[in-house]
Amino acid sequence: LPVVFTGDGTAAGSYGYTNSGYSVYEEENDKLTESLRTKVSAIKSLSIEIGTEVKNQNKMLSEMENDFDSTGGLLGATMGRLRTLSRGSQTKLLCYMMLFSLFVFFVIYWIIKLR
């Protein structure tokens, strides 16, 4: 059986690879494939963890939004009461504030006196 050679001196049936060279390339490909498989697996688990964290953060944001809405309602009611109070006579408000200040002053004075 005659062997046909190509122009570069290798046999035409071997496609430029020798048996030992081909196995080296095959082993290198297997190592690279395994390395790629582990990296893809790590990225997959990381993306799953990120998805879980995003769901938890969205849930927490939703709860915070509900808390802020209820606080806003409470603050709105308080502001309404303040507006109602401020519509009254200013002298009455000033008198109440002065009485409260005097009360606080006497309580502090009494606490200091007892020590």
Side-chain angles (χ1 to χ4, degrees), residues 39-54:
K39 289 177 183 178
V40 167
S41 175
I43 290 173
K44 178 183 176 185
S45 65
L46 185 62
S47 66
I48 289 172
E49 289 176 15
I50 288 172
T52 303
E53 185 66 25
V54 166

Side-chain angles (χ1 to χ4, degrees), residues 16-114:
Y17 296 112
T18 61
N19 286 341
S20 64
Y22 180 73
S23 87
V24 168
Y25 289 127
E26 194 64 32
E27 287 176 19
E28 186 178 345
N29 271 349
D30 289 342
K31 288 177 185 176
L32 291 173
T33 303
E34 187 59 35
S35 172
L36 185 62
R37 184 175 293 124
T38 57
K39 289 177 183 178
V40 167
S41 175
I43 290 173
K44 178 183 176 185
S45 65
L46 185 62
S47 66
I48 289 172
E49 289 176 15
I50 288 172
T52 303
E53 185 66 25
V54 166
K55 286 178 186 176
N56 290 338
Q57 294 293 327
N58 282 339
K59 181 181 175 186
M60 193 173 2
L61 283 174
S62 177
E63 291 171 358
M64 282 179 58
E65 182 180 8
N66 292 338
D67 291 343
F68 281 131
D69 285 343
S70 67
T71 304
L74 181 64
L75 186 60
T78 304
M79 290 302 290
R81 288 188 204 118
L82 280 175
R83 273 189 228 110
T84 304
L85 184 63
S86 69
R87 286 186 197 136
S89 69
Q90 296 296 326
T91 56
K92 191 185 285 187
L93 179 62
L94 186 60
C95 183
Y96 286 141
M97 290 193 58
M98 288 295 288
L99 287 173
F100 179 73
S101 299
L102 286 173
F103 174 74
V104 170
F105 175 75
F106 282 121
V107 168
I108 292 173
Y109 178 75
W110 182 66
I111 290 173
I112 291 173
K113 194 74 161 166
L114 287 177

